[in-house]
Amino acid sequence: MNTGEPSRVVFPEREEAEWRVLRMQKKLHRWATENPDRRFDDLANLVYDPAFLVVAWHRVRGNKGARTAGVDGVTPRGVGWAAMDLLAGVREDLKAGRFVPSPVRQKTIPKASGKVRSLGIPTARDRVVQAALKLVLEPIFEADFKPCSYGFRPRRRAQDAIAEIHYLASPTRNYEWVFEADIKACFDEIDHTALMERVRRRVGDKRVLGWVKAFLRAGVLTEDGLNRETITGTPQGGILSPLLANIALSVLDEHFTAKWEALGPEWTRAKHRRAGGAVMKLVRYADDFVVLIHGQRADAEALWDEVGAVLAPMGLRLSVEKTRVCHIDEGFDFLGWRIQRRAWRSRTGKKAIYTYPSKKSLTSIIDKVRTLTRRARHRTLADLLRRLNPTLRGWCTYFRHGVSSRTFGYVDHFAFWRVVGWLRKRHLGLNMHTLVRRYLPGWHIHAGGIDMFRANAFPIERYRYRGTKIPTPWSSTTTPPPRPAA
């Protein structure tokens, strides 16, 4: 019920709001899929619809960054009972055209390379609007995104990208050459004009376009307290930024999809390959991507100029340091995995594609374990296990679908003896025999009702390759949820 006064706005309960939002999203996705040329002209009323704002708020509050404040010093977790007042105020500002986003708060975090990554943290109020915009825009643009893109998309994950590479490089596909690429400062250099032009292909609502552009141009409050304009890029850390980055980078997806479709049906592609022609497939996860080539090294080397020309209109360029051409037998790292073709039976000489944790990923988890098991970091063994177990379990869960048994064994051995070393430092007066008897009965680490997570016992499973048949949450094959009881 929209009365125009914040005090009279009726916000539905969460279950009812999610049901209404999902129903509308399914319609938007169906309309966008059925008519690829359709431009949506009346979306603003959905952005400030009470149901969309309620769902947006719960997603903002449930995000792991909900304890981090923007320039106003307010954290979503700290809003409490004033949440509905915040939503009512946001809704009125959006309806009246008064909404202006605040600058994002800059926060730098170190990267493994020794450099730093700059994050832009919006205010709680701006995060709600961004989340509502994403709820409206994502079903529309998902209808246009290609299957070769996996990053920051619903129901898609990094394991799908790795499985696609495994499928293409295995017999009988045999895509042997790899153009391994990285885009330099992608989130910082996206051209606003080019990005908005791509958004306008689907969105005709001037108010929605204005809000998206306002977030792009909101500016940054640096850690030094200086206000800096944002002429290019979309800040990392914003809820809307991954979707906007995918819209910009879909120029790559469309380019390689067009090249693939230009080869015609399967039999003409097979004839093209037999004649020595190159065939290419793109696998992209956000701004990291690889192009697998069935052809010659020269075909892969030629992609330097070709990909550069595709990215240039978006204001983007390849990173010279991180982009290279290699053979699948040489192997390459992608999304934390090492992917390489190796002989699997020495007598027959047959080869298979192996995927396992990269050295960089292994070093990362070892460093985390070393940090967590420093002597003065925890008061009790139970406190240590509460911090250590989720770290080990999360890392193993990510790599459980690869050839990871030996790596898990190494990580388990390292973590176990780091904990034992932590115990010895905490109890300097005890010899090893007494320490084991008191704290490690049967060499089993347990405290406060918590068992230490053992990586070497974690089950390894083959990942089910899904190909292009990955449904969206709004596809017609998805069973709609029942409407909540009144």
Side-chain angles (χ1 to χ4, degrees), residues 110-295:
K111 298 172 66 174
S113 61
K115 300 179 181 179
V116 294
R117 174 181 284 113
S118 180
L119 299 181
I121 304 171
T123 63
R125 183 170 172 272
D126 290 349
R127 279 183 247 186
V128 171
V129 179
Q130 287 194 30
L133 279 168
K134 184 180 179 184
L135 288 172
V136 174
L137 297 178
E138 190 173 45
I140 297 172
F141 285 96
E142 273 291 327
D144 298 332
F145 290 158
K146 305 300 180 183
C148 59
S149 167
Y150 297 92
F152 303 115
R153 295 182 60 188
R155 296 191 178 174
R156 289 171 171 257
R157 54 184 75 96
Q159 285 82 355
D160 288 313
I162 301 301
E164 180 69 13
I165 294 172
H166 187 282
Y167 173 81
L168 292 172
S170 299
T172 56
R173 277 77 54 187
N174 293 323
Y175 285 70
E176 296 184 337
W177 288 100
V178 181
F179 181 77
E180 181 190 359
D182 182 83
I183 300 174
K184 190 175 183 67
C186 173
F187 282 82
D188 297 330
E189 297 188 0
I190 294 176
D191 183 85
H192 289 173
T193 303
L195 172 59
M196 290 305 300
E197 184 61 34
R198 294 187 67 81
V199 175
R200 286 190 189 93
R201 294 182 184 180
R202 277 302 201 174
V203 179
D205 192 311
K206 291 184 179 181
R207 288 181 294 174
V208 171
L209 292 171
W211 295 330
V212 173
K213 190 172 183 179
F215 278 117
L216 291 174
R217 303 297 298 271
V220 175
L221 179 66
T222 68
E223 292 181 317
D224 298 328
L226 302 175
N227 282 305
R228 178 170 57 83
E229 293 184 357
T230 47
I231 302 173
T232 61
T234 176
Q236 284 184 270
I239 295 175
L240 195 59
S241 295
L243 175 61
L244 296 178
N246 267 334
I247 293 173
L249 293 171
S250 60
V251 294
L252 275 174
D253 311 340
E254 294 166 2
H255 174 78
F256 282 97
T257 299
K259 288 187 65 172
W260 176 261
E261 292 175 349
L263 295 174
E266 181 63 34
W267 68 272
T268 59
R269 289 196 295 268
K271 183 178 179 181
H272 178 76
R273 287 176 58 164
R274 287 195 297 269
V279 180
M280 304 177 184
K281 295 287 282 186
L282 171 72
V283 179
R284 182 176 68 81
Y285 191 94
D287 57 336
D288 293 325
F289 65 94
V290 294
V291 183
L292 289 95
I293 302 103
H294 185 284

Side-chain angles (χ1 to χ4, degrees), residues 327-340:
H327 194 273
I328 193 66
D329 290 347
E330 179 185 348
F332 63 99
D333 293 348
F334 188 59
L335 303 180
W337 295 82
R338 183 69 179 174
I339 305 170
Q340 188 174 9

Side-chain angles (χ1 to χ4, degrees), residues 6 9 36 39 59 163 205 207 233 241 283 292 394 404 427 436 439 485:
V9 175
R39 294 179 76 232
R59 294 196 178 181
D205 192 311
R207 288 181 294 174
S241 295
V283 179
L292 289 95
S404 306
H427 305 281
V436 171
Y439 300 101

